Amino acid sequence: MPAKMSALRATRQILQTIAGHGWRSHSSKPAQSAHVGKPGAGFSFELTDEQKEFQATARKFALEEIIPVAAQYDRTGEYPLPLIKRAWELGLINSHIPESCGGLGLGSFEACLITEELAYGCTGVQTAIEANSLGQMPVIIAGNEQQQKKYLGRMTEEPMMCAYCVTEPGAGSDVAGIKTKAEKKGDEYIINGQKMWITNGGKANWYFLLARTNPDPNVPASKAFTGFIVEADSPGIQVGRKEINMGQRCSDTRGIVFEDVRVPKENVLIAEGAGFKIAMGAFDKTRPPVAAGAVGLAKRALDEATKYALERKTFGKPIVEHQAVSFLLAEMAMKVELARMAYQRAAWEVDVGRRNTYYASIAKAFAGDIANQVATDAVQIFGGNGFNTEYPVEKLMRDAKIYQIYEGTAQIQRMIIAREHVGKFKA
């Protein structure tokens, strides 16, 4: 608690020094407030003072500390530990850990504001940070007091990572196809299986792990799986090599093998058989920040393309004065603004206590799609230069693709949206 509170105080001291700095315009309208504190307050796009502070701090951090080193991290694939430590000091990581565990207890909306700014700097760095949120979320929504204080509390005491171990070599979108098994023996569970594409897999202090505890293939997924908290240094855990990915290369992605790993029954979340619902419930909370990250990337691509279009000249004038280019920028701007509103609605639904599955999937699908479209259009505006690594937009294009894949593919999101939409008419 003291460390986190001191970090927040440091954040506010920094904010006092950045007034009048002239940060990039975020929008022609302020974002929607996360908290409707007064009955009848109505619909508002205004941020609270605290939200503005966190947004400005994250923006300053991205501009001054992430962007200058992002290309180097992309080239080397090195894990951005110095940046993660700095984000922790500023209170920009683990923001949603409850105050009872020493955290700041911020809402989903605030987390999204921070995430968009970090992603503007580099989505590889942002994904490494956001993976903590995904790993923690099952414990936040389903952990008992002892589990939360033990595993969330330690993350407020020093910079530390965790990971969400669900995906397997043969089970990605088909979560119900998971083969990792947990067999109860006395007061322990013995876990055997393999996980794949685990972000922070080689850096995590502990994992949330989903495993099958009921071997009967006829038992529905909602009762067949159990969620566990697993210490990363447990005997029997073998961490694979760092995967070299198309984009977001400084993020740590690995396969993990669990061989006769013993986990005490005290590390079961809720109860045996509750794991699938916990894992899916976590996605409702984490998909808005993922969408916010996609928006941050798209905004960066739009800004880079706009600056280039103002400077680059063809046929005797800046290319921004050619209607073909200006219209392309207009389309890009429309997509960024609409995607931002989508994630803000999804986050707001969480913070007012509503089930947000429908809005979370809309935000994630739309933002992931437009991030790819806007990044591609930015490369087009740069022309041949856009295809070169000396310019920033080719990295943005590579980094964008994963937003249509991780935390539920673009196609899975459409399945969820269709199910939720049609369900309204069947109710």
Side-chain angles (χ1 to χ4, degrees):
M1 185 73 156
K4 211 58 171 179
M5 291 301 104
S6 63
L8 180 55
R9 284 195 292 271
T11 295
R12 286 176 173 165
Q13 289 173 358
I14 290 170
L15 290 169
Q16 293 174 0
T17 70
I18 63 176
H21 191 284
W23 301 114
R24 61 182 172 85
S25 175
H26 194 68
S27 172
S28 59
K29 295 182 179 180
Q32 180 181 352
S33 172
H35 305 292
V36 182
K38 299 178 180 179
F43 190 72
S44 172
F45 283 97
E46 186 59 65
L47 295 178
T48 66
D49 289 342
E50 183 185 58
Q51 289 167 348
K52 290 176 182 177
E53 286 182 359
F54 278 106
Q55 184 186 58
T57 302
R59 186 174 298 173
K60 176 180 173 66
F61 176 57
L63 291 174
E64 297 186 358
E65 300 188 51
I66 296 179
I67 289 177
V69 297
Q72 177 66 14
Y73 278 116
D74 180 63
R75 284 191 293 270
T76 65
E78 181 183 354
Y79 193 68
L81 188 58
L83 292 175
I84 289 172
K85 288 181 177 179
R86 181 62 176 148
W88 185 87
E89 292 171 356
L90 292 172
L92 301 176
I93 186 171
N94 307 326
S95 61
H96 49 269
I97 289 179
E99 291 183 89
S100 61
C101 298
L104 294 176
L106 299 185
S108 178
F109 194 94
E110 288 88 353
C112 285
L113 293 176
I114 291 169
T115 296
E116 181 182 342
E117 300 300 333
L118 297 180
Y120 186 93
C122 174
T123 56
V125 175
Q126 176 263 316
T127 291
I129 290 173
E130 182 57 32
N132 252 21
S133 302
L134 182 58
Q136 294 164 3
M137 196 54 67
V139 182
I140 290 174
I141 66 176
N144 58 39
E145 183 179 356
Q146 182 180 2
Q147 291 167 338
Q148 289 186 350
K149 286 187 178 299
K150 181 177 181 180
Y151 290 100
L152 300 178
R154 69 174 65 166
M155 305 192 86
T156 68
E157 296 167 359
E158 61 179 298
M160 187 179 293
M161 313 310 286
C162 64
Y164 183 89
C165 286
V166 173
T167 300
E168 298 185 359
S173 296
D174 181 16
V175 177
I178 284 175
K179 302 299 183 185
T180 298
K181 297 179 180 179
E183 182 181 358
K184 190 174 183 181
K185 289 189 176 181
D187 291 337
E188 296 179 317
Y189 285 83
I190 311 300
I191 296 176
N192 285 280
Q194 183 179 0
K195 298 297 181 179
M196 191 60 194
W197 309 120
I198 306 305
T199 306
N200 285 346
K203 306 297 180 181
N205 176 265
W206 56 268
Y207 308 119
F208 165 75
L209 179 136
L210 189 66
R212 177 176 281 274
T213 46
N214 192 319
D216 185 350
N218 296 317
V219 172
S222 60
K223 298 180 180 180
F225 299 95
T226 300
F228 298 89
I229 304 170
V230 182
E231 297 277 4
D233 61 357
S234 300
I237 293 179
Q238 303 169 38
V239 178
R241 66 179 176 86
K242 173 183 166 66
E243 299 294 333
I244 308 303
N245 294 325
M246 175 183 178
Q248 301 194 3
R249 290 176 174 168
C250 68
S251 175
D252 185 80
T253 308
R254 300 175 189 255
I256 304 175
V257 175
F258 296 82
E259 185 174 353
D260 293 331
V261 177
R262 295 179 177 272
V263 179
K265 66 178 183 180
E266 290 78 19
N267 282 29
V268 170
L269 290 172
I270 299 183
E272 190 171 301
F276 187 82
K277 291 181 179 179
I278 295 170
M280 296 302 100
F283 281 139
D284 284 349
K285 305 296 191 298
T286 59
R287 279 174 178 154
V290 171
V295 172
L297 184 150
K299 183 62 165 65
R300 173 75 180 283
L302 173 60
D303 286 359
E304 295 288 355
T306 303
K307 289 185 288 186
Y308 184 83
L310 287 165
E311 296 170 359
R312 173 71 169 169
K313 292 183 178 181
T314 62
F315 304 103
K317 60 183 178 181
I319 62 172
V320 75
E321 295 181 16
H322 297 293
Q323 190 180 73
V325 174
S326 65
F327 275 20
L328 193 56
L329 290 170
E331 292 282 347
M332 294 161 71
M334 289 161 58
K335 291 170 181 176
V336 170
E337 294 296 333
L338 291 171
R340 181 179 293 121
M341 293 181 72
Y343 87 63
Q344 290 178 350
R345 174 63 187 269
W348 181 84
E349 291 284 336
V350 172
D351 289 339
V352 296
R354 296 176 184 167
R355 180 174 175 270
N356 78 326
T357 304
Y358 177 69
Y359 293 106
S361 287
I362 286 176
K364 203 274 182 182
F366 186 70
D369 286 351
I370 70 98
N372 279 269
Q373 294 162 10
V374 172
T376 300
D377 288 343
V379 170
Q380 191 67 27
I381 288 172
F382 271 72
N385 289 336
F387 198 66
N388 187 274
T389 58
E390 293 300 313
Y391 293 83
V393 289
E394 66 85 25
K395 175 183 180 297
L396 297 176
M397 187 174 177
R398 288 187 288 106
D399 288 348
K401 184 57 192 173
I402 194 63
Y403 282 108
Q404 292 178 313
I405 300 173
Y406 64 9
E407 291 208 32
T409 66
Q411 291 70 37
I412 289 294
Q413 302 312 314
R414 283 161 171 78
M415 289 174 60
I416 295 170
I417 294 163
R419 182 191 67 208
E420 296 290 318
H421 172 69
V422 175
K424 297 175 186 177
F425 289 81
K426 290 183 176 180

